[in-house]
Amino acid sequence: MHPEGAATRHGGVPRGGHRGVPHTADLRVEAWAPTREECLAHAVRGVCESFLDLTGAARVRTRDVVIRADSDADLLVGLLDEIVYWLDTADEVPVDVELAPVPEGLRAGLHMADASSLPVTGAAPKAVTLHDLDISHRPEGWTCSVTLDV
């Protein structure tokens, strides 16, 4: 059995995934994958799955954004800030994310669904915190962990 949100490659070895971690009065998500972009995409999926059931969600539009940052940690915060922004302003969440590196940042294709059309499973995030924020590259791949206020 693989951790929540895990994708597998041949041989059943976990390739990437995400999981929610118990955290008092906040939301904490950990993600992992072979590449930085896959790890960040898993973090986005983990955040969205923490408060909505995305099963069968229909894409209604794609939002293309460029996130500029000086560090990988700032990219993680900037990407999740985008998720919170679109949730607050348009009641939309990404059901799929395509990330590509660009000079000094990332280009994100956020394939959005109407949040109001999805079953609510938890409290929605209100802001990304810097408390215990981490994104790291190790020999086995990338990992990140982030806490959000709910």
Side-chain angles (χ1 to χ4, degrees):
M1 186 162 158
H2 297 292
E4 172 184 339
T8 59
R9 59 179 169 223
H10 184 69
V13 176
R15 174 181 162 84
H18 57 271
R19 67 177 170 211
V21 179
H23 197 273
T24 306
D26 291 319
L27 164 64
R28 182 124 177 108
V29 172
E30 296 176 348
W32 58 93
T35 69
R36 180 185 70 169
E37 288 72 24
E38 287 176 289
C39 185
L40 294 170
H42 277 289
V44 168
R45 184 78 178 194
V47 167
C48 295
E49 287 179 349
S50 75
F51 68 99
L52 292 172
D53 180 355
L54 301 180
T55 306
R59 296 179 188 180
V60 293
R61 73 189 44 76
T62 298
R63 301 217 182 254
D64 291 310
V65 297
V66 174
I67 299 158
R68 304 274 183 211
D70 294 328
S71 69
D72 293 328
D74 290 342
L75 282 176
L76 174 58
V77 171
L79 180 59
L80 295 177
D81 278 344
E82 279 290 323
I83 303 316
V84 171
Y85 171 80
W86 290 113
L87 179 62
D88 286 345
T89 62
D91 198 31
E92 294 177 351
V93 294
V95 293
D96 194 20
V97 181
E98 294 176 33
L99 300 173
V102 296
E104 300 176 15
L106 285 173
R107 177 174 305 282
L110 305 174
H111 303 285
M112 310 299 274
D114 288 324
S116 61
S117 70
L118 302 171
V120 175
T121 60
K126 300 298 178 199
V128 182
T129 73
L130 301 180
H131 181 68
D132 289 333
L133 177 70
D134 181 61
I135 181 165
S136 304
H137 182 246
R138 296 183 174 95
E140 62 275 6
W142 286 82
T143 63
C144 69
S145 45
V146 62
T147 303
L148 295 96
D149 290 332
V150 292

